[in-house]
Amino acid sequence: MNAIALMPQMMPQSKSCQYQGFTIWFTGLSGAGKSTISAVLHDELKRRDIKHEILDGDVVRTNLSKGLSFSKEDRDTNIRRIGFVCNLLSRNGIIAIAAAISPYREVREQVRDQIDHFVEVFVKCPLEVCEERDVKGLYKKARNGEISHFTGISDPYEPPMDPEVVCETQNETPRESADKILAKLRELGYIEW
Ligand code: ADP
């Protein structure tokens, strides 16, 4: 058998699949800005008619990962599932954007190892600022003890050691954060615009 035929990058692409797929993997505390920056990227990609999908942590937990708890084991399962879908999408030429807290480093690294073109974005924001924003009112509930296993309050968050991009959302606008990511994608040769 011809070994070259087995290499996915050598396979003929359909005409609708003009772009190389890749995965943008956000990680950060609740309220750090993952969904907000994803929305800016979504606008940019939509405007250019580029196929993409956002796997938002909250949305995934209402379908693909419905019923999973916030134990470490279930959080890791959730992340593996998101990673699995991102891999399917990005290897088929679609840009996958994962926007979940993904607090544990080890499982993030496992996902990175599975996906050929993987860009980790650390959405960095001090806990106090996220708590002050309290976009969904969850920090208040976590402090009151109404929610357990809440990342940053009663559950750990392990920041990435060597992410491709760091967005410091305390000091940047969402636009500036998105521009940083686009610049990195350009540098990596994933986009030309
Ligand atoms: P997450 O998805 O990480 O839980 P959200 O995107 O839902 O967080 O909320 C982040 C909040 O922080 C929003 O209210 C957003 O307007 C605000 N914010 C301020 N600066 C930024 C920034 N540079 N990037 C993203 N969000 C920001």
Side-chain angles (χ1 to χ4, degrees):
M1 198 186 291
N2 184 348
I4 289 173
L6 296 174
M7 292 167 67
Q9 64 270 35
M10 301 297 283
M11 284 157 99
Q13 301 262 307
S14 76
K15 277 199 177 140
S16 63
C17 191
Q18 287 171 279
Y19 300 93
Q20 177 189 264
F22 54 87
T23 292
I24 302 172
W25 190 281
F26 286 103
T27 173
L29 294 173
S30 176
K34 303 177 294 297
S35 305
T36 306
I37 303 168
S38 300
V40 179
L41 293 180
H42 166 73
D43 289 344
E44 287 292 328
L45 294 165
K46 195 172 168 208
R47 201 153 60 83
R48 293 179 168 80
D49 218 12
I50 299 174
K51 283 181 184 285
H52 64 286
E53 280 291 341
I54 297 176
L55 288 105
D56 186 89
D58 292 339
V59 178
V60 168
R61 276 187 173 273
T62 65
N63 45 72
L64 184 65
S65 290
K66 193 171 181 178
L68 289 185
S69 74
F70 288 86
S71 67
K72 178 173 188 308
E73 194 187 353
D74 278 6
R75 283 178 183 273
D76 285 352
T77 299
N78 180 43
I79 293 311
R80 284 194 192 96
R81 288 180 187 176
I82 297 174
F84 179 81
V85 177
C86 286
N87 189 28
L88 293 183
L89 291 169
S90 56
R91 78 183 190 197
N92 281 289
I94 296 167
I95 298 170
I97 302 173
I101 296 171
S102 34
Y104 294 108
R105 194 176 294 136
E106 191 183 354
V107 73
R108 287 197 308 264
E109 289 305 311
Q110 287 170 10
V111 170
R112 174 192 284 278
D113 289 345
Q114 266 173 21
I115 301 178
D116 277 346
H117 304 287
F118 186 89
V119 179
E120 188 175 35
V121 179
F122 179 24
V123 185
K124 188 177 177 189
C125 186
L127 176 66
E128 313 80 72
V129 176
C130 295
E131 196 165 356
E132 174 85 17
R133 290 176 180 166
D134 209 4
V135 188
K136 299 167 207 150
L138 296 175
Y139 282 96
K140 193 166 176 227
K141 287 189 179 167
R143 290 287 183 199
N144 291 341
E146 290 170 58
I147 303 177
S148 60
H149 291 290
F150 195 78
T151 303
I153 306 288
S154 44
D155 232 35
Y157 178 77
E158 299 172 355
M161 308 291 265
D162 196 15
E164 277 75 8
V165 186
V166 180
C167 297
E168 305 218 25
T169 67
Q170 184 189 18
N171 307 316
E172 298 166 9
T173 65
R175 180 73 248 176
E176 287 168 337
S177 297
D179 282 345
K180 267 189 177 175
I181 298 166
L182 294 172
K184 175 54 77 171
L185 296 175
R186 234 171 266 131
E187 185 192 316
L188 291 169
Y190 293 163
I191 60 171
E192 286 174 351
W193 37 278

